[in-house]
Amino acid sequence: MRSKILNLLKQAGDNFLSGEYLAETLNVSRTAIWKHIKALRDSGYDIESVPRNGYRLLNSPDLLSAEEVKNTLSTKILGSEIKYFTTTDSTNNQAKKFAMQGAPDGAIVISEEQCGGKGRLSRSFFCPKYKGIWFSAILRPDFLPQEAPKCTLMAAVAVARAIEDVTGVKVGIKWPNDVLYEGKKLVGILTEISAEMERINYIIIGIGIDVNIEKEDLPEDIRDIVTSLSQITKKQVSRLKLLNKVLYHLEQLYIMAQRHDFAPILDEWRRYSITLNQDIKVISGKDITYGRAMDIDDDGALLVEINGQIKRVLAGDVSIRPR
């Protein structure tokens, strides 16, 4: 109902809509309209009310609520259903629950804040309220489980495209799941899968983007290694606009992947890569080896030259660092 009221107010522009008109159009009581208007105001919407004229929307907050996201979607699959939280532990955790309850292909879970945001290898991820984009997409592809790791690369390309579209900022992708700007982390991606031998039940792609986080917002121990789009551009960036672009590009790449056509996606990942052709150290537990990142293979594994031999490195096994 609130989404419908918002749509009508937005369509009206600078014109007022009476409570009577809204009630008749939506087939509810004027009291119900008043309650929904109050709830929208409590959520940050600036709605003017004038006796005998009605209601007029003056400003919308930069929220990632289901109502706001649905109003800007340019996708058919991604965002088919939306679960929204103001605060949660992890959108990936919530997405798993949603998926097990039968959520459709393309459903997304969004939160304004994560208290237990996590990255690969159980690392924590800082996700302050209203400062970034923290969401997870539920995919139910028909390709084989061994192709699932490529979804992380697919998501990184989608995010890199979207950031450039919205801000003009050119970013780089560090294998396998980070998007960086001038060596500082801007985006983290965590892909998790539920599968059987030859069938994927669902894939969860969790994406965290530091959008409007100021340096002083960051914990001291990560201030020198993490950045945000507002720090880079020196201005606030619309989270809603950026999320819409991420979903758009992710859907386009997902459609390509569903046709079992990963090659163009991997080629584009290579163009964004800041890992390839670099000397790196490969960290696996307490073991550290040194080599040169040469390429990724058709499965998205990193090919590293170590002592003259090419070693295939899987994302789930290791971390890599510049040498």
Side-chain angles (χ1 to χ4, degrees):
M1 181 59 64
R2 289 175 201 169
S3 179
K4 292 178 180 178
I5 292 172
L6 271 178
N7 280 337
L8 290 171
L9 290 173
K10 288 180 177 180
Q11 290 169 11
D14 293 332
N15 298 317
F16 284 92
L17 297 180
S18 69
E20 181 180 5
Y21 170 81
L22 290 170
E24 289 179 356
T25 301
L26 300 175
N27 197 29
V28 295
S29 68
R30 291 181 66 177
T31 300
I33 293 295
W34 179 84
K35 288 181 178 178
H36 284 300
I37 292 289
K38 183 179 184 301
L40 289 168
R41 284 172 170 161
D42 290 343
S43 297
Y45 292 92
D46 187 1
I47 300 175
E48 183 181 13
S49 176
V50 175
R52 289 188 290 276
N53 284 338
Y55 304 101
R56 178 172 64 172
L57 179 64
L58 299 180
N59 287 295
S60 296
D62 188 24
L63 293 178
L64 300 180
S65 64
E67 291 88 357
E68 285 294 331
V69 173
K70 286 176 181 176
N71 285 336
T72 61
L73 277 179
S74 55
T75 55
K76 294 182 179 179
I77 304 171
L78 272 296
S80 57
E81 287 193 20
I82 299 173
K83 274 197 178 297
Y84 171 74
F85 299 87
T86 53
T87 300
T88 191
D89 58 344
S90 159
T91 59
N92 266 31
N93 288 346
Q94 295 296 341
K96 290 175 196 173
K97 296 176 186 177
F98 195 16
M100 288 188 286
Q101 293 166 1
D105 186 33
I108 61 174
V109 176
I110 308 169
S111 185
E112 300 288 5
E113 175 187 41
Q114 289 187 118
C115 299
K118 58 183 180 178
R120 206 169 58 88
L121 303 178
S122 300
R123 297 189 181 104
S124 61
F125 196 86
F126 180 61
C127 308
K129 202 167 193 175
Y130 306 127
K131 298 280 189 173
I133 296 174
W134 329 117
F135 84 100
S136 298
I138 300 167
L139 304 181
R140 298 186 184 274
D142 60 6
F143 48 73
L144 294 174
Q146 54 263 38
E147 293 191 290
K150 288 183 278 190
C151 289
T152 301
L153 310 185
M154 176 180 76
V157 170
V159 171
R161 281 184 180 181
I163 288 173
E164 190 167 349
D165 281 353
V166 174
T167 68
V169 173
K170 296 183 184 297
V171 296
I173 301 174
K174 173 180 172 288
W175 186 89
N177 67 329
D178 290 339
V179 176
L180 309 183
Y181 177 80
E182 294 185 350
K184 292 188 176 182
K185 185 169 180 175
L186 184 63
V187 180
I189 300 168
L190 176 63
T191 301
E192 300 181 274
I193 180 175
S194 169
E196 299 167 25
M197 186 66 70
E198 295 186 355
R199 176 177 176 271
I200 292 174
N201 297 320
Y202 59 81
I203 294 174
I204 307 293
I205 301 179
I207 298 175
I209 307 174
D210 296 336
V211 183
N212 294 319
I213 302 176
E214 299 307 320
K215 190 167 185 177
E216 55 268 24
D217 295 329
L218 294 166
E220 287 188 15
D221 61 330
I222 62 172
R223 284 182 184 174
D224 293 333
I225 59 174
V226 171
T227 191
S228 71
L229 290 172
S230 64
Q231 290 181 51
I232 296 166
T233 63
K234 308 302 181 187
K235 61 183 179 182
Q236 295 287 291
V237 174
S238 168
R239 297 184 303 142
L240 192 60
K241 186 176 181 181
L242 181 57
L243 175 60
N244 180 43
K245 280 293 185 180
V246 171
L247 293 174
Y248 170 78
H249 285 297
L250 185 58
E251 177 164 299
Q252 298 306 303
L253 296 174
Y254 181 49
I255 291 170
M256 189 181 298
Q258 286 279 61
R259 297 197 298 262
H260 304 275
D261 190 13
F262 271 105
I265 299 171
L266 298 182
D267 284 342
E268 190 167 359
W269 185 93
R270 290 181 178 99
R271 290 193 291 273
Y272 280 111
S273 174
I274 58 171
T275 300
L276 299 184
N277 301 311
Q278 299 297 315
D279 292 327
I280 61 171
K281 57 182 177 181
V282 180
I283 305 168
S284 179
K286 295 181 179 180
D287 296 329
I288 299 177
T289 54
Y290 297 90
R292 187 170 181 84
M294 304 302 293
D295 199 358
I296 53 172
D297 65 15
D298 290 343
D299 294 321
L302 187 65
L303 302 178
V304 183
E305 183 180 19
I306 300 174
N307 297 325
Q309 294 185 328
I310 299 297
K311 180 179 179 180
R312 187 171 182 266
V313 176
L314 300 175
D317 300 337
V318 302
S319 293
I320 64 169
R321 298 285 186 275
R323 188 168 173 175

